């Protein structure tokens, strides 16, 4: 029976795959996901998604609490009376999206988050069609909806990608 040195056996057992190291001598911890594909707090994408969730939660809160300010940002004149209910519905929609994103970032896979972000492109696309057809939006309001679509698309693509972007 051959004698195997304990230190040799341990060294063999703790070898990490080459892709785990960002550079010689250290592990690149910026883009690690958990073993099941979920985003980890050490991954920048996790924090970007949570930041997006906070932005949508703030927008939702704004529309719910101050519909007139929400209308100004959205690009439509504030409706009177019961019409304000529609503005609050926009707030509820944005708050729900925020909660979806946060929940998925914390509990699901990065691909699930990417799918929800990609599907959510319907929101700014429809918003753009609505404000452009109303003819009430200023250039910056149109740009805001366009930027929202761009950010959702870019983050969805970033999350869906196989590589680890820096």
């Amino acid at each position: 029976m051959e004698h195997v040195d304990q230190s040799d056996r341990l060294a063999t057992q703790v070898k990490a795959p080459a892709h785990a190291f960002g550079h010689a001598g250290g592990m690149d911890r910026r883009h690690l996901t958990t073993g099941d594909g979920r985003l980890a707090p050490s991954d920048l994408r996790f924090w970007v998604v949570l930041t997006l969730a906070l932005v949508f939660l703030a927008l939702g809160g704004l529309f719910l609490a101050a519909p007139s300010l929400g209308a100004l940002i959205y690009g439509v004149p504030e409706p009177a009376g019961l019409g304000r209910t529609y503005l609050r519905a926009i707030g509820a929609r944005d708050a729900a999206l925020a909660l979806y994103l946060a929940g998925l970032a914390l509990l699901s896979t990065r691909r699930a988050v990417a799918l929800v972000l990609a599907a959510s492109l319907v929101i700014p696309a429809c918003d753009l069609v609505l404000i452009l057809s109303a003819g009430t939006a200023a250039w910056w309001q149109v740009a805001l909806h366009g930027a929202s679509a761009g950010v959702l698309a870019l983050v969805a693509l970033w999350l869906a990608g196989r590589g680890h972007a820096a």
Side-chain angles (χ1 to χ4, degrees):
M1 197 163 163
E2 182 179 324
H3 174 68
V4 177
D5 186 20
Q6 184 73 4
S7 62
D8 288 342
R9 187 171 56 204
L10 286 176
T12 303
Q13 291 175 353
V14 296
K15 287 186 180 177
H19 62 80
F21 294 94
H23 55 83
M27 191 180 283
D28 182 1
R29 301 182 61 84
R30 292 175 295 170
H31 301 291
L32 295 179
T33 57
T34 62
D36 58 2
R38 291 183 316 155
L39 291 171
S42 58
D43 189 334
L44 177 61
R45 296 172 294 190
F46 174 84
W47 297 105
V48 169
V49 172
L50 286 184
T51 300
L52 273 176
L54 283 174
V55 168
F56 282 108
L57 189 61
L59 280 171
L62 175 71
F63 274 87
L64 289 167
S68 58
L69 186 54
L72 173 68
I73 292 170
Y74 188 84
V76 295
E78 179 187 7
L82 286 177
R84 298 178 100 200
T85 302
Y86 292 108
L87 294 173
R88 288 193 168 103
I90 293 171
R93 172 197 74 181
D94 287 349
L97 176 59
L99 296 175
Y100 299 153
L101 291 176
L104 287 171
L106 293 167
L107 301 172
S108 191
T109 66
R110 67 180 173 85
R111 291 197 177 199
V113 180
L115 179 63
V116 168
L117 284 170
S120 298
L121 284 167
V122 168
I123 295 170
C126 288
D127 289 347
L128 275 168
V129 168
L130 290 170
I131 64 169
L132 290 172
S133 65
T136 57
W139 70 268
W140 65 270
Q141 293 159 324
V142 173
L144 189 63
H145 291 289
S148 176
V151 168
L152 289 175
L154 288 174
V155 176
L157 287 171
W158 187 31
L159 285 165
R162 292 186 182 269
H164 299 296

